[in-house]
Amino acid sequence: MTSHPPAPLDIYRMLEKSNCRRCQLPSCLAFAAAVVAGSKKPGDCPVLDRQTASQLQQSLQPRDERAPEQAEFIDHLERKVAAIDLAAKAQVIGGTYRDGVLTLNSLGKDFCVNRQGRLTSQCHIIPWVKAPLLSYITHPTHQNITGEWSLFRELKGGMEWQNLFTSRCENVLKGIADDHPDLFVDLIDLFMGQKTQAVGADVSLVLHPLPHFPLLISYQLADNDLESGLTLYFDRCCGENLHIKSIYTLCAGLVKMFAKIAQLHST
């Protein structure tokens, strides 16, 4: 196994490529993307031998390369979780509580947090998910979904992060969509995306990275002399349910994950 985490194509080459769908996904390509994304484990492929699956799982484990301040921030969030009444919090933020564990659904997958703030899941825990998810639990304010969409800059603190958000999130995702128009089909299949209709959009879908955190992707195809366009919208509640830095971190991580999925369409 390589010393670097495998890319989707590396995993795809190990598979039978029969598209048997026994992993509950439509193709081996989709399964390889899901493994890298963290929503599936190598062992979920019924054909992959156990030794290869085990070695692959080990190579996917995130190495602790966090900067000291990042590690300290995660520790800080875990301590804040430990001081929270998780049963009461679950009712407010759209989670469930049982036997000392708060469970939240992210992109169709369950993540569990215990009284010590430790995060576990049946799927691979993607590093960029951990801090936003713990931040969501510990955020001091909370609002239910409103159905009203806002631009990133309209959220609390959004103007300060707008340029970075545009360059590293919206522009990158637009480029991916331009090169891989079938990307949105994968997002629906893999991450419980919901098609919707948005004014002026050729393609639009809603994702739920967190229970009370709807994210709308609105994409317009190029038309004659007009370039394509992509805009991310957030339910008005998002600014009340997560700090703007965590919102940026969450979106930047999503875009990186989508880019890995798009690699599969280049073969």
Side-chain angles (χ1 to χ4, degrees):
M1 302 295 292
T2 176
S3 59
H4 300 286
L9 289 178
D10 298 325
I11 297 173
Y12 178 65
R13 294 187 186 100
M14 300 178 186
L15 304 177
E16 190 180 62
K17 306 177 186 64
S18 63
N19 300 329
C20 68
R21 300 194 177 195
R22 290 161 65 190
C23 65
Q24 309 303 316
L25 290 176
S27 68
C28 292
L29 285 174
F31 177 78
V35 169
V36 171
S39 57
K40 287 287 184 180
K41 292 183 178 180
D44 292 332
C45 173
V47 179
L48 196 64
D49 68 85
R50 291 185 177 181
Q51 182 176 358
T52 301
S54 177
Q55 291 176 340
L56 183 56
Q57 183 64 47
Q58 290 179 8
S59 70
L60 287 164
Q61 294 301 321
R63 294 163 176 79
D64 192 3
E65 298 175 350
R66 300 174 300 173
E69 62 273 14
Q70 185 180 19
E72 183 177 349
F73 179 60
I74 293 293
D75 291 342
H76 170 69
L77 290 175
E78 290 178 344
R79 290 193 297 271
K80 289 182 68 175
V81 170
I84 289 176
D85 181 344
L86 293 182
K89 195 72 172 183
Q91 297 180 20
V92 174
I93 64 176
T96 60
Y97 178 84
R98 183 178 180 182
D99 298 332
V101 175
L102 187 158
T103 300
L104 293 174
N105 190 276
S106 173
L107 300 173
K109 305 300 176 183
D110 285 339
F111 291 82
C112 302
V113 181
N114 66 16
R115 293 192 180 105
Q116 289 73 46
R118 298 295 186 267
L119 181 65
T120 59
S121 176
Q122 290 184 344
C123 64
H124 174 60
I125 296 179
I126 307 168
W128 53 263
V129 167
K130 190 170 187 178
L133 195 149
L134 294 177
S135 295
Y136 177 77
I137 296 172
T138 59
H139 199 68
T141 62
H142 195 86
Q143 184 178 22
N144 288 330
I145 296 172
T146 67
E148 300 176 17
W149 296 107
S150 300
L151 295 169
F152 181 83
R153 66 173 177 267
E154 296 172 335
L155 302 177
K156 289 183 178 180
M159 286 300 298
E160 181 180 354
W161 289 80
Q162 179 63 50
N163 291 338
L164 197 61
F165 175 79
T166 299
S167 62
R168 296 190 181 181
C169 296
E170 288 181 322
N171 289 349
V172 175
L173 186 55
K174 183 181 83 71
I176 296 171
D178 289 344
D179 294 337
H180 306 280
D182 50 352
L183 170 69
F184 294 106
V185 176
D186 278 343
L187 299 188
I188 292 171
D189 288 340
L190 293 173
F191 306 118
M192 306 293 289
Q194 300 171 334
K195 289 184 179 179
T196 187
Q197 292 183 341
V199 177
D202 294 297
V203 181
S204 57
L205 65 100
V206 176
L207 298 174
H208 283 80
L210 294 165
H212 295 166
F213 196 94
L215 171 65
L216 170 64
I217 303 174
S218 175
Y219 177 65
Q220 303 84 42
L221 295 166
D223 183 17
N224 296 324
D225 295 333
L226 295 177
E227 293 185 0
S228 64
L230 186 144
T231 305
L232 296 178
Y233 293 93
F234 302 83
D235 188 280
R236 190 163 53 86
C237 72
C238 295
E240 297 292 334
N241 298 345
L242 205 59
H243 187 275
I244 195 66
K245 183 176 181 180
S246 292
I247 294 176
Y248 167 77
T249 300
L250 190 63
C251 291
L254 280 171
V255 171
K256 289 181 181 179
M257 182 171 64
F258 297 161
K260 291 179 180 180
I261 295 172
Q263 289 178 352
L264 296 177
H265 297 291
S266 301
T267 57

